[in-house]
Each structure stands twice: as structure tokens, then as C-alpha cells.
Amino acid sequence: MPEAYRKNALRQMSQHAHSEVIGMQPEGSWITRAPTLRRKLALTAKVQDEVGHAQLLYRVAEDLGKSREAMFDDLLAGRTK
């Protein structure tokens, strides 16, 4: 795989994985406030789905050579979005 392509793929995967994690946070905070058990289960399933997407993306990025720790360090340092 060409290096420029790999770098761009890693950048996109880390951004997408981070957005999946951030996207589940508002829904996760509503689980305890859901009015019925059925709605709590629906929100829990949605949160699990989002986290699962993030896990897959992080794992593929790791296979391409960038650790999760490095992705989080880049995010916290402002080197990635």
C-alpha cells in the first residue's frame, strides 16, 4: 500500500472512530432517564452499536500500524480532529 494512501486512510479512520465515540455520549447519558425499560434497552443497543463501530475502526487502524494510544494522543494534542 502506498505510504500516502495509508496515512490518509489512518487519518480518516481515526477521525471516524473518534466521531463514533463522541456520537454515543449524548445517547448514553439518556439511558438512565428513559421513561420505560423498552426505551432504555433501545438506547443501550444504540450506544453499543456506536461503540462497536469505533472498536472496529480503531482495530483496522491498528492493523495499518497506528496504536490507539497514538490516535488518542493526536486527538488530545490537536493534531487530529
Side-chain angles (χ1 to χ4, degrees), residues 6-39:
R6 187 183 73 76
K7 279 182 146 181
N8 191 37
L10 279 168
R11 181 186 60 78
Q12 289 178 352
M13 279 185 259
S14 74
Q15 286 177 336
H16 191 166
H18 296 326
S19 74
E20 293 284 348
V21 171
I22 297 303
M24 70 87 189
Q25 288 178 341
E27 290 154 354
S29 68
W30 280 97
I31 293 172
T32 57
R33 293 180 265 175
T36 65
L37 179 59
R38 184 178 181 100
R39 290 196 182 179

Side-chain angles (χ1 to χ4, degrees), residues 9-77:
L10 279 168
R11 181 186 60 78
Q12 289 178 352
M13 279 185 259
S14 74
Q15 286 177 336
H16 191 166
H18 296 326
S19 74
E20 293 284 348
V21 171
I22 297 303
M24 70 87 189
Q25 288 178 341
E27 290 154 354
S29 68
W30 280 97
I31 293 172
T32 57
R33 293 180 265 175
T36 65
L37 179 59
R38 184 178 181 100
R39 290 196 182 179
K40 286 179 195 282
L41 291 173
L43 283 168
T44 301
K46 189 164 184 171
V47 167
Q48 287 176 330
D49 191 46
E50 296 295 318
V51 171
H53 294 156
Q55 293 289 350
L56 289 171
L57 288 161
Y58 285 133
R59 183 64 187 125
V60 171
E62 286 176 326
D63 286 346
L64 289 176
K66 190 166 188 177
S67 70
R68 289 181 200 215
E69 292 81 17
M71 285 184 268
F72 288 126
D73 289 344
D74 288 348
L75 178 66
L76 296 173

